Amino acid sequence: MAEDNDGRVPVQHPMVAIYPGTRVPAANVDTHSLPGSDGVLQVHVTRYALEPPEVFWQEPETLQLHMMAMVPRPWAEIEPVLPKSWSAEARRKLIQDHVDREQRAESASVVVAGAGDSPPLLALDRLRGRYPYARCVGVIVDGHSVLAWLTTARAASRTGYLVTMTASNSQEPGPLSLYPSVLYGWARWWHSQAAALIDERAVTIAELPPPPLTLDVVEAWRPYRVDLTGHDRMTFPAPPTPPRPPVEPDGPESR
C-alpha cells in the first residue's frame, strides 16, 4: 500500500486486479476517493475477482468493497436452441452458469446491463425493478455514456438520483461498466465525510445531495474524466397491482 495526498491518505493499489478491457460477469470493486489537484474528486476503482484461481490473499481492512454484476438478459429471452449433439452435462453447465450469474446479481450492490434496443430509461426501469435491492443500477447506452440511478434510501426504494455519465473524451471512455460503481463510491465517500463532520446525529443516505458535475474515474492509475448531467431526483412509479378476479354475486366474497 502506497501513500498519496502529501502522505496523509493511504491509497490501496491493486493486488489481484482485473484491468481495463476485461468484461467480467461479477467482481468485487474497491472505490477509494481522493481530491484531485484541480478540484475534481478522483474515484480510484479496482476490480477483484470473486474467486481468483490459485491465488490466496488477505483482504486489507482498508478496502471498501462492494459487488458489481454485469447481468445477462432474462433466460426466457435468450434460451438458446442447443444442437442435439450436446450432452446432457453440457446443457446442464450452460443453464447452471446462467443461474449462478443471476444469483450473484441478486446479491450485488451495483448492477449494470446494456440498453440493447430498448430506450435507456425503460431499460433502466426494468433493471431497477428486476433488482430492487441494488444500491445503484446502470445501463450502458453507447460506447461513451451510461445512464445511472442511485437510490437514496436504506432499503429497496423507488426514489433516487438519475444521472447521465458521459466520458469527456469519447475516444477514451475508460471502464464504462464501472461508472455506476464510481457513482456509488462517491455516495459512500460523501456519507463518510458528512458523518465525520456532524457528530450530534446520524447522517442518513436520504440527505445525499445531487452528484457532482464531474468525476475522475481512475483505474490502474489512469484517469478518465466523466461528466455527469441530469441530476434529476425522481421516483419511479410503483408496479401495477395485479387485477383481482371478479366476485361472483352468489359467492362467499359477497356474503
PDB file of all heavy atoms in Angstrom, residues 132-161:
ATOM      1  N   PRO A 132     -34.486  -4.887  -7.125  1.00  0.00           N
ATOM      2  CA  PRO A 132     -34.928  -3.739  -6.330  1.00  0.00           C
ATOM      3  C   PRO A 132     -34.022  -3.399  -5.154  1.00  0.00           C
ATOM      4  O   PRO A 132     -34.117  -2.290  -4.621  1.00  0.00           O
ATOM      5  CB  PRO A 132     -36.320  -4.176  -5.843  1.00  0.00           C
ATOM      6  CG  PRO A 132     -36.267  -5.676  -5.844  1.00  0.00           C
ATOM      7  CD  PRO A 132     -35.397  -6.040  -7.009  1.00  0.00           C
ATOM      8  N   TYR A 133     -33.157  -4.319  -4.740  1.00  0.00           N
ATOM      9  CA  TYR A 133     -32.316  -4.054  -3.575  1.00  0.00           C
ATOM     10  C   TYR A 133     -30.920  -3.564  -3.947  1.00  0.00           C
ATOM     11  O   TYR A 133     -30.094  -3.348  -3.068  1.00  0.00           O
ATOM     12  CB  TYR A 133     -32.227  -5.301  -2.691  1.00  0.00           C
ATOM     13  CG  TYR A 133     -33.554  -5.621  -2.044  1.00  0.00           C
ATOM     14  CD1 TYR A 133     -34.407  -6.564  -2.593  1.00  0.00           C
ATOM     15  CD2 TYR A 133     -33.976  -4.925  -0.910  1.00  0.00           C
ATOM     16  CE1 TYR A 133     -35.640  -6.832  -2.020  1.00  0.00           C
ATOM     17  CE2 TYR A 133     -35.205  -5.186  -0.333  1.00  0.00           C
ATOM     18  CZ  TYR A 133     -36.040  -6.146  -0.887  1.00  0.00           C
ATOM     19  OH  TYR A 133     -37.262  -6.402  -0.325  1.00  0.00           O
ATOM     20  N   ALA A 134     -30.655  -3.383  -5.228  1.00  0.00           N
ATOM     21  CA  ALA A 134     -29.368  -2.818  -5.639  1.00  0.00           C
ATOM     22  C   ALA A 134     -29.319  -1.355  -5.236  1.00  0.00           C
ATOM     23  O   ALA A 134     -30.318  -0.633  -5.312  1.00  0.00           O
ATOM     24  CB  ALA A 134     -29.171  -2.968  -7.139  1.00  0.00           C
ATOM     25  N   ARG A 135     -28.146  -0.908  -4.808  1.00  0.00           N
ATOM     26  CA  ARG A 135     -27.981   0.488  -4.397  1.00  0.00           C
ATOM     27  C   ARG A 135     -27.825   1.414  -5.594  1.00  0.00           C
ATOM     28  O   ARG A 135     -28.168   2.588  -5.533  1.00  0.00           O
ATOM     29  CB  ARG A 135     -26.752   0.620  -3.484  1.00  0.00           C
ATOM     30  CG  ARG A 135     -26.674  -0.379  -2.359  1.00  0.00           C
ATOM     31  CD  ARG A 135     -27.922  -0.378  -1.502  1.00  0.00           C
ATOM     32  NE  ARG A 135     -28.177   0.928  -0.916  1.00  0.00           N
ATOM     33  CZ  ARG A 135     -29.388   1.365  -0.565  1.00  0.00           C
ATOM     34  NH1 ARG A 135     -30.436   0.613  -0.775  1.00  0.00           N
ATOM     35  NH2 ARG A 135     -29.537   2.549  -0.026  1.00  0.00           N
ATOM     36  N   CYS A 136     -27.272   0.885  -6.673  1.00  0.00           N
ATOM     37  CA  CYS A 136     -27.078   1.685  -7.885  1.00  0.00           C
ATOM     38  C   CYS A 136     -27.227   0.765  -9.088  1.00  0.00           C
ATOM     39  O   CYS A 136     -26.695  -0.348  -9.089  1.00  0.00           O
ATOM     40  CB  CYS A 136     -25.693   2.343  -7.863  1.00  0.00           C
ATOM     41  SG  CYS A 136     -25.391   3.508  -9.233  1.00  0.00           S
ATOM     42  N   VAL A 137     -27.962   1.214 -10.090  1.00  0.00           N
ATOM     43  CA  VAL A 137     -28.097   0.440 -11.319  1.00  0.00           C
ATOM     44  C   VAL A 137     -27.698   1.323 -12.487  1.00  0.00           C
ATOM     45  O   VAL A 137     -27.892   2.548 -12.455  1.00  0.00           O
ATOM     46  CB  VAL A 137     -29.528  -0.107 -11.516  1.00  0.00           C
ATOM     47  CG1 VAL A 137     -29.894  -1.083 -10.423  1.00  0.00           C
ATOM     48  CG2 VAL A 137     -30.542   1.019 -11.576  1.00  0.00           C
ATOM     49  N   GLY A 138     -27.114   0.722 -13.502  1.00  0.00           N
ATOM     50  CA  GLY A 138     -26.665   1.482 -14.652  1.00  0.00           C
ATOM     51  C   GLY A 138     -26.931   0.762 -15.946  1.00  0.00           C
ATOM     52  O   GLY A 138     -26.887  -0.468 -16.001  1.00  0.00           O
ATOM     53  N   VAL A 139     -27.215   1.526 -16.976  1.00  0.00           N
ATOM     54  CA  VAL A 139     -27.441   0.986 -18.317  1.00  0.00           C
ATOM     55  C   VAL A 139     -26.432   1.633 -19.252  1.00  0.00           C
ATOM     56  O   VAL A 139     -26.360   2.866 -19.341  1.00  0.00           O
ATOM     57  CB  VAL A 139     -28.882   1.269 -18.788  1.00  0.00           C
ATOM     58  CG1 VAL A 139     -29.022   0.959 -20.266  1.00  0.00           C
ATOM     59  CG2 VAL A 139     -29.876   0.438 -17.995  1.00  0.00           C
ATOM     60  N   ILE A 140     -25.644   0.803 -19.913  1.00  0.00           N
ATOM     61  CA  ILE A 140     -24.669   1.309 -20.888  1.00  0.00           C
ATOM     62  C   ILE A 140     -25.416   1.681 -22.156  1.00  0.00           C
ATOM     63  O   ILE A 140     -26.007   0.831 -22.819  1.00  0.00           O
ATOM     64  CB  ILE A 140     -23.582   0.258 -21.173  1.00  0.00           C
ATOM     65  CG1 ILE A 140     -22.814  -0.058 -19.875  1.00  0.00           C
ATOM     66  CG2 ILE A 140     -22.622   0.753 -22.257  1.00  0.00           C
ATOM     67  CD1 ILE A 140     -21.790  -1.165 -20.025  1.00  0.00           C
ATOM     68  N   VAL A 141     -25.412   2.974 -22.458  1.00  0.00           N
ATOM     69  CA  VAL A 141     -26.200   3.484 -23.577  1.00  0.00           C
ATOM     70  C   VAL A 141     -25.462   3.301 -24.896  1.00  0.00           C
ATOM     71  O   VAL A 141     -26.033   2.861 -25.896  1.00  0.00           O
ATOM     72  CB  VAL A 141     -26.528   4.967 -23.349  1.00  0.00           C
ATOM     73  CG1 VAL A 141     -27.301   5.538 -24.539  1.00  0.00           C
ATOM     74  CG2 VAL A 141     -27.337   5.140 -22.059  1.00  0.00           C
ATOM     75  N   ASP A 142     -24.172   3.646 -24.911  1.00  0.00           N
ATOM     76  CA  ASP A 142     -23.357   3.517 -26.114  1.00  0.00           C
ATOM     77  C   ASP A 142     -21.910   3.364 -25.681  1.00  0.00           C
ATOM     78  O   ASP A 142     -21.637   2.988 -24.539  1.00  0.00           O
ATOM     79  CB  ASP A 142     -23.549   4.730 -27.042  1.00  0.00           C
ATOM     80  CG  ASP A 142     -23.441   6.055 -26.298  1.00  0.00           C
ATOM     81  OD1 ASP A 142     -22.590   6.154 -25.388  1.00  0.00           O
ATOM     82  OD2 ASP A 142     -24.201   6.997 -26.606  1.00  0.00           O
ATOM     83  N   GLY A 143     -20.984   3.664 -26.588  1.00  0.00           N
ATOM     84  CA  GLY A 143     -19.577   3.446 -26.278  1.00  0.00           C
ATOM     85  C   GLY A 143     -18.933   4.471 -25.378  1.00  0.00           C
ATOM     86  O   GLY A 143     -17.745   4.351 -25.056  1.00  0.00           O
ATOM     87  N   HIS A 144     -19.703   5.473 -24.924  1.00  0.00           N
ATOM     88  CA  HIS A 144     -19.086   6.504 -24.079  1.00  0.00           C
ATOM     89  C   HIS A 144     -20.028   7.070 -23.032  1.00  0.00           C
ATOM     90  O   HIS A 144     -19.685   8.067 -22.378  1.00  0.00           O
ATOM     91  CB  HIS A 144     -18.526   7.648 -24.939  1.00  0.00           C
ATOM     92  CG  HIS A 144     -19.553   8.256 -25.861  1.00  0.00           C
ATOM     93  ND1 HIS A 144     -20.420   9.238 -25.456  1.00  0.00           N
ATOM     94  CD2 HIS A 144     -19.858   7.987 -27.152  1.00  0.00           C
ATOM     95  CE1 HIS A 144     -21.210   9.569 -26.472  1.00  0.00           C
ATOM     96  NE2 HIS A 144     -20.886   8.830 -27.510  1.00  0.00           N
ATOM     97  N   SER A 145     -21.206   6.481 -22.818  1.00  0.00           N
ATOM     98  CA  SER A 145     -22.126   7.036 -21.823  1.00  0.00           C
ATOM     99  C   SER A 145     -22.929   5.942 -21.134  1.00  0.00           C
ATOM    100  O   SER A 145     -23.192   4.882 -21.707  1.00  0.00           O
ATOM    101  CB  SER A 145     -23.072   8.060 -22.461  1.00  0.00           C
ATOM    102  OG  SER A 145     -23.872   7.446 -23.446  1.00  0.00           O
ATOM    103  N   VAL A 146     -23.309   6.249 -19.902  1.00  0.00           N
ATOM    104  CA  VAL A 146     -24.070   5.329 -19.060  1.00  0.00           C
ATOM    105  C   VAL A 146     -25.171   6.119 -18.358  1.00  0.00           C
ATOM    106  O   VAL A 146     -24.921   7.212 -17.842  1.00  0.00           O
ATOM    107  CB  VAL A 146     -23.160   4.654 -18.005  1.00  0.00           C
ATOM    108  CG1 VAL A 146     -23.981   3.810 -17.029  1.00  0.00           C
ATOM    109  CG2 VAL A 146     -22.100   3.798 -18.679  1.00  0.00           C
ATOM    110  N   LEU A 147     -26.371   5.576 -18.361  1.00  0.00           N
ATOM    111  CA  LEU A 147     -27.463   6.142 -17.581  1.00  0.00           C
ATOM    112  C   LEU A 147     -27.494   5.411 -16.244  1.00  0.00           C
ATOM    113  O   LEU A 147     -27.606   4.182 -16.209  1.00  0.00           O
ATOM    114  CB  LEU A 147     -28.799   5.974 -18.309  1.00  0.00           C
ATOM    115  CG  LEU A 147     -30.036   6.576 -17.618  1.00  0.00           C
ATOM    116  CD1 LEU A 147     -29.917   8.095 -17.537  1.00  0.00           C
ATOM    117  CD2 LEU A 147     -31.315   6.175 -18.362  1.00  0.00           C
ATOM    118  N   ALA A 148     -27.365   6.147 -15.148  1.00  0.00           N
ATOM    119  CA  ALA A 148     -27.242   5.523 -13.834  1.00  0.00           C
ATOM    120  C   ALA A 148     -28.282   6.084 -12.874  1.00  0.00           C
ATOM    121  O   ALA A 148     -28.636   7.264 -12.938  1.00  0.00           O
ATOM    122  CB  ALA A 148     -25.843   5.737 -13.268  1.00  0.00           C
ATOM    123  N   TRP A 149     -28.756   5.216 -11.982  1.00  0.00           N
ATOM    124  CA  TRP A 149     -29.718   5.610 -10.961  1.00  0.00           C
ATOM    125  C   TRP A 149     -29.180   5.181  -9.617  1.00  0.00           C
ATOM    126  O   TRP A 149     -28.789   4.023  -9.423  1.00  0.00           O
ATOM    127  CB  TRP A 149     -31.077   4.959 -11.229  1.00  0.00           C
ATOM    128  CG  TRP A 149     -32.142   5.346 -10.245  1.00  0.00           C
ATOM    129  CD1 TRP A 149     -32.862   6.495 -10.219  1.00  0.00           C
ATOM    130  CD2 TRP A 149     -32.609   4.559  -9.137  1.00  0.00           C
ATOM    131  NE1 TRP A 149     -33.753   6.482  -9.163  1.00  0.00           N
ATOM    132  CE2 TRP A 149     -33.623   5.302  -8.484  1.00  0.00           C
ATOM    133  CE3 TRP A 149     -32.272   3.301  -8.639  1.00  0.00           C
ATOM    134  CZ2 TRP A 149     -34.284   4.831  -7.359  1.00  0.00           C
ATOM    135  CZ3 TRP A 149     -32.926   2.828  -7.515  1.00  0.00           C
ATOM    136  CH2 TRP A 149     -33.936   3.600  -6.896  1.00  0.00           C
ATOM    137  N   LEU A 150     -29.133   6.117  -8.670  1.00  0.00           N
ATOM    138  CA  LEU A 150     -28.586   5.898  -7.333  1.00  0.00           C
ATOM    139  C   LEU A 150     -29.690   6.094  -6.315  1.00  0.00           C
ATOM    140  O   LEU A 150     -30.280   7.177  -6.224  1.00  0.00           O
ATOM    141  CB  LEU A 150     -27.446   6.884  -7.082  1.00  0.00           C
ATOM    142  CG  LEU A 150     -26.811   6.891  -5.692  1.00  0.00           C
ATOM    143  CD1 LEU A 150     -26.034   5.600  -5.448  1.00  0.00           C
ATOM    144  CD2 LEU A 150     -25.897   8.106  -5.539  1.00  0.00           C
ATOM    145  N   THR A 151     -29.995   5.055  -5.551  1.00  0.00           N
ATOM    146  CA  THR A 151     -31.064   5.165  -4.571  1.00  0.00           C
ATOM    147  C   THR A 151     -30.629   6.008  -3.381  1.00  0.00           C
ATOM    148  O   THR A 151     -29.446   6.091  -3.053  1.00  0.00           O
ATOM    149  CB  THR A 151     -31.505   3.771  -4.084  1.00  0.00           C
ATOM    150  OG1 THR A 151     -32.618   3.911  -3.197  1.00  0.00           O
ATOM    151  CG2 THR A 151     -30.396   3.071  -3.333  1.00  0.00           C
ATOM    152  N   THR A 152     -31.607   6.641  -2.739  1.00  0.00           N
ATOM    153  CA  THR A 152     -31.320   7.470  -1.567  1.00  0.00           C
ATOM    154  C   THR A 152     -32.091   6.954  -0.357  1.00  0.00           C
ATOM    155  O   THR A 152     -32.587   7.727   0.460  1.00  0.00           O
ATOM    156  CB  THR A 152     -31.694   8.943  -1.835  1.00  0.00           C
ATOM    157  OG1 THR A 152     -33.063   9.016  -2.271  1.00  0.00           O
ATOM    158  CG2 THR A 152     -30.788   9.538  -2.892  1.00  0.00           C
ATOM    159  N   ALA A 153     -32.205   5.648  -0.243  1.00  0.00           N
ATOM    160  CA  ALA A 153     -32.877   5.041   0.907  1.00  0.00           C
ATOM    161  C   ALA A 153     -32.091   3.815   1.335  1.00  0.00           C
ATOM    162  O   ALA A 153     -31.332   3.231   0.552  1.00  0.00           O
ATOM    163  CB  ALA A 153     -34.313   4.655   0.562  1.00  0.00           C
ATOM    164  N   ARG A 154     -32.254   3.427   2.585  1.00  0.00           N
ATOM    165  CA  ARG A 154     -31.515   2.281   3.100  1.00  0.00           C
ATOM    166  C   ARG A 154     -32.029   0.975   2.519  1.00  0.00           C
ATOM    167  O   ARG A 154     -31.272   0.074   2.197  1.00  0.00           O
ATOM    168  CB  ARG A 154     -31.620   2.236   4.629  1.00  0.00           C
ATOM    169  CG  ARG A 154     -30.872   3.370   5.322  1.00  0.00           C
ATOM    170  CD  ARG A 154     -30.955   3.231   6.816  1.00  0.00           C
ATOM    171  NE  ARG A 154     -30.238   4.302   7.496  1.00  0.00           N
ATOM    172  CZ  ARG A 154     -28.938   4.294   7.739  1.00  0.00           C
ATOM    173  NH1 ARG A 154     -28.210   3.260   7.366  1.00  0.00           N
ATOM    174  NH2 ARG A 154     -28.357   5.296   8.357  1.00  0.00           N
ATOM    175  N   ALA A 155     -33.339   0.842   2.416  1.00  0.00           N
ATOM    176  CA  ALA A 155     -33.932  -0.394   1.892  1.00  0.00           C
ATOM    177  C   ALA A 155     -34.316  -0.186   0.437  1.00  0.00           C
ATOM    178  O   ALA A 155     -34.007   0.843  -0.163  1.00  0.00           O
ATOM    179  CB  ALA A 155     -35.135  -0.778   2.736  1.00  0.00           C
ATOM    180  N   ALA A 156     -34.991  -1.190  -0.121  1.00  0.00           N
ATOM    181  CA  ALA A 156     -35.431  -1.076  -1.507  1.00  0.00           C
ATOM    182  C   ALA A 156     -36.284   0.177  -1.668  1.00  0.00           C
ATOM    183  O   ALA A 156     -37.195   0.433  -0.889  1.00  0.00           O
ATOM    184  CB  ALA A 156     -36.233  -2.314  -1.899  1.00  0.00           C
ATOM    185  N   SER A 157     -35.984   0.965  -2.674  1.00  0.00           N
ATOM    186  CA  SER A 157     -36.658   2.250  -2.838  1.00  0.00           C
ATOM    187  C   SER A 157     -36.822   2.567  -4.305  1.00  0.00           C
ATOM    188  O   SER A 157     -36.051   2.109  -5.146  1.00  0.00           O
ATOM    189  CB  SER A 157     -35.862   3.362  -2.158  1.00  0.00           C
ATOM    190  OG  SER A 157     -36.411   4.632  -2.446  1.00  0.00           O
ATOM    191  N   ARG A 158     -37.820   3.364  -4.591  1.00  0.00           N
ATOM    192  CA  ARG A 158     -38.042   3.805  -5.963  1.00  0.00           C
ATOM    193  C   ARG A 158     -37.559   5.237  -6.169  1.00  0.00           C
ATOM    194  O   ARG A 158     -37.698   5.774  -7.255  1.00  0.00           O
ATOM    195  CB  ARG A 158     -39.525   3.704  -6.322  1.00  0.00           C
ATOM    196  CG  ARG A 158     -40.121   2.317  -6.186  1.00  0.00           C
ATOM    197  CD  ARG A 158     -41.509   2.222  -6.793  1.00  0.00           C
ATOM    198  NE  ARG A 158     -42.407   3.262  -6.343  1.00  0.00           N
ATOM    199  CZ  ARG A 158     -43.149   3.198  -5.240  1.00  0.00           C
ATOM    200  NH1 ARG A 158     -43.058   2.128  -4.466  1.00  0.00           N
ATOM    201  NH2 ARG A 158     -43.948   4.188  -4.909  1.00  0.00           N
ATOM    202  N   THR A 159     -37.017   5.870  -5.112  1.00  0.00           N
ATOM    203  CA  THR A 159     -36.584   7.266  -5.187  1.00  0.00           C
ATOM    204  C   THR A 159     -35.069   7.362  -5.171  1.00  0.00           C
ATOM    205  O   THR A 159     -34.399   6.666  -4.406  1.00  0.00           O
ATOM    206  CB  THR A 159     -37.162   8.078  -4.011  1.00  0.00           C
ATOM    207  OG1 THR A 159     -38.587   8.016  -4.061  1.00  0.00           O
ATOM    208  CG2 THR A 159     -36.713   9.530  -4.077  1.00  0.00           C
ATOM    209  N   GLY A 160     -34.537   8.238  -6.012  1.00  0.00           N
ATOM    210  CA  GLY A 160     -33.093   8.423  -6.060  1.00  0.00           C
ATOM    211  C   GLY A 160     -32.729   9.467  -7.101  1.00  0.00           C
ATOM    212  O   GLY A 160     -33.575  10.219  -7.583  1.00  0.00           O
ATOM    213  N   TYR A 161     -31.437   9.499  -7.458  1.00  0.00           N
ATOM    214  CA  TYR A 161     -30.941  10.434  -8.468  1.00  0.00           C
ATOM    215  C   TYR A 161     -30.709   9.700  -9.785  1.00  0.00           C
ATOM    216  O   TYR A 161     -30.120   8.615  -9.816  1.00  0.00           O
ATOM    217  CB  TYR A 161     -29.630  11.077  -8.014  1.00  0.00           C
ATOM    218  CG  TYR A 161     -29.810  12.091  -6.915  1.00  0.00           C
ATOM    219  CD1 TYR A 161     -29.391  11.832  -5.615  1.00  0.00           C
ATOM    220  CD2 TYR A 161     -30.398  13.327  -7.174  1.00  0.00           C
ATOM    221  CE1 TYR A 161     -29.556  12.761  -4.599  1.00  0.00           C
ATOM    222  CE2 TYR A 161     -30.562  14.267  -6.169  1.00  0.00           C
ATOM    223  CZ  TYR A 161     -30.144  13.976  -4.886  1.00  0.00           C
ATOM    224  OH  TYR A 161     -30.315  14.895  -3.891  1.00  0.00           O
TER     225      TYR A 161
END
